[in-house]
C-alpha cells in the first residue's frame, strides 16, 4: 500500500515502473490499469479522475489530506479489504510532506496509531522523512517508535563522495551498521 503525499496519483501511475503495473488503452484517453496486488492512497488531491473511478478498489483518495483521523480511517479501511492472511508492505511518502499541514505532535499521535495497525496485522511499513526538516524532539519520538531507522548519508573521502546507509536497529539505537552503495547505469542499487 502506497500512501502518497508526494505527487498526484495520475503522475505516479504514468511514471510507475513497478512490476505488476500494466496499461491497456481503451476508448478515448482512459486507461485501465492492472495494479495486481498494489493499493494507492492518494493524499495529494481530493479531485477524483475518471481513472480513479475505474480503479475504485485500488486507488483511495483522502478527502481531507491534513486530517490525520480521516487518513488513519482510510488506511484502516484499505487494510480491512485485504485478506488477513496476507501480509502487506506499507510505504508512506512522506511524513515531511504531511507536516506541511499537520503539527509534529499530531503526526506523532498518528504514527503511534498507524504502527499499532501495522503490528496488529504483522505488516511491514516504511515511513520516509527528511530528517533535516524536523525538530530534534520530533526525531527522538519517531526513532523511539521505529524498529529500524535508516539514514541516507554521504561521507567525503580523499577522492570522492561516497553514499551510504546508516542502519540503526532497536529502540535504544544500540546496534548500528554502515552500508555503502552505488547506483549503476541501469538504476540498480549495489550494496558493498
Amino acid at each position: 500500500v502506497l500512501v502518497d503525499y508526494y505527487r498526484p496519483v495520475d503522475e505516479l501511475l504514468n511514471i510507475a515502473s513497478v512490476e505488476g503495473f500494466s496499461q491497456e488503452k481503451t476508448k478515448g484517453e482512459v486507461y485501465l490499469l492492472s495494479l495486481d496486488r498494489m493499493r494507492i492512497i492518494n493524499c495529494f488531491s481530493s479531485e477524483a479522475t475518471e481513472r480513479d473511478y475505474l480503479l475504485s478498489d485500488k486507488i483511495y483518495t483522502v478527502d481531507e489530506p491534513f486530517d490525520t483521523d480521516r487518513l488513519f480511517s482510510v488506511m484502516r479501511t484499505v487494510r480491512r479489504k485485504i485478506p488477513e492472511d496476507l501480509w502487506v508492505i506499507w510505504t508512506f511518502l512522506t511524513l515531511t510532506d504531511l507536516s506541511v499541514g499537520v503539527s509534529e505532535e499530531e503526526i506523532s499521535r498518528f504514527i503511534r496509531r498507524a504502527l499499532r495497525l501495522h503490528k496488529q496485522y504483522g505488516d511491514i511499513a516504511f515511513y520516509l522523512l527528511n530528517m533535516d526538516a524536523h525538530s530534534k524532539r520530533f526525531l527522538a519520538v519517531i526513532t523511539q517508535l521505529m524498529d529500524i531507522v535508516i539514514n541516507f548519508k554521504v561521507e567525503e573521502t580523499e577522492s570522492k563522495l561516497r553514499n551510504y546507509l546508516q542502519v540503526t536497529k532497536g529502540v535504544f539505537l544500540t546496534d548500528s551498521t554502515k552500508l555503502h552503495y552505488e547506483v549503476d547505469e541501469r538504476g540498480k542499487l549495489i550494496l558493498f
Side-chain angles (χ1 to χ4, degrees):
V1 178
L2 175 63
V3 183
D4 192 0
Y5 273 91
Y6 185 60
R7 59 173 64 89
V9 69
D10 276 4
E11 181 183 333
L12 173 74
L13 294 174
N14 285 335
I15 65 171
S17 59
V18 178
E19 189 175 336
F21 278 58
S22 63
Q23 294 189 9
E24 296 174 9
K25 191 166 185 178
T26 59
K27 297 177 185 175
E29 291 299 315
V30 177
Y31 286 86
L32 294 175
L33 291 133
S34 170
L35 301 180
D36 292 348
R37 292 175 290 178
M38 190 168 195
R39 308 286 199 289
I40 296 173
I41 298 176
N42 173 28
C43 302
F44 188 91
S45 170
S46 61
E47 296 177 15
T49 65
E50 190 171 359
R51 187 182 301 185
D52 294 342
Y53 291 118
L54 287 170
L55 299 169
S56 59
D57 63 329
K58 300 290 184 182
I59 298 178
Y60 302 81
T61 300
V62 180
D63 297 333
E64 299 291 336
F66 296 115
D67 179 348
T68 55
D69 291 334
R70 180 71 184 131
L71 172 58
F72 179 74
S73 175
V74 172
M75 290 173 66
R76 190 174 51 205
T77 298
V78 170
R79 187 56 183 98
R80 286 178 177 164
K81 290 185 176 184
I82 300 171
E84 285 192 31
D85 60 336
L86 294 179
W87 55 274
V88 173
I89 298 176
W90 292 81
T91 303
F92 196 106
L93 293 174
T94 71
L95 286 175
T96 302
D97 291 324
L98 174 61
S99 72
V100 170
V102 179
S103 70
E104 289 184 339
E105 292 79 14
E106 184 67 25
I107 293 174
S108 298
R109 285 192 293 272
F110 164 74
I111 285 292
R112 284 186 177 95
R113 293 167 62 192
L115 292 179
R116 280 195 298 269
L117 175 70
H118 303 325
K119 289 182 180 183
Q120 174 186 346
Y121 289 97
D123 295 340
I124 297 170
F126 297 95
Y127 283 81
L128 282 76
L129 67 114
N130 178 351
M131 295 185 83
D132 295 332
H134 297 279
S135 69
K136 290 182 179 179
R137 181 172 180 241
F138 175 73
L139 294 175
V141 169
I142 293 297
T143 53
Q144 287 176 358
L145 292 172
M146 300 295 171
D147 294 328
I148 298 175
V149 176
I150 302 173
N151 287 318
F152 293 83
K153 295 191 173 189
V154 176
E155 68 181 356
E156 188 175 352
T157 64
E158 292 179 11
S159 59
K160 63 179 182 176
L161 296 175
R162 295 179 66 190
N163 300 318
Y164 70 95
L165 305 176
Q166 185 70 45
V167 182
T168 309
K169 302 175 186 175
V171 175
F172 298 107
L173 310 179
T174 55
D175 183 13
S176 184
T177 304
K178 183 188 283 189
L179 297 172
H180 287 90
Y181 70 92
E182 290 180 359
V183 179
D184 70 11
E185 62 276 355
R186 296 169 296 165
K188 297 287 185 182
L189 185 68
I190 303 169
L191 295 171
F192 56 91

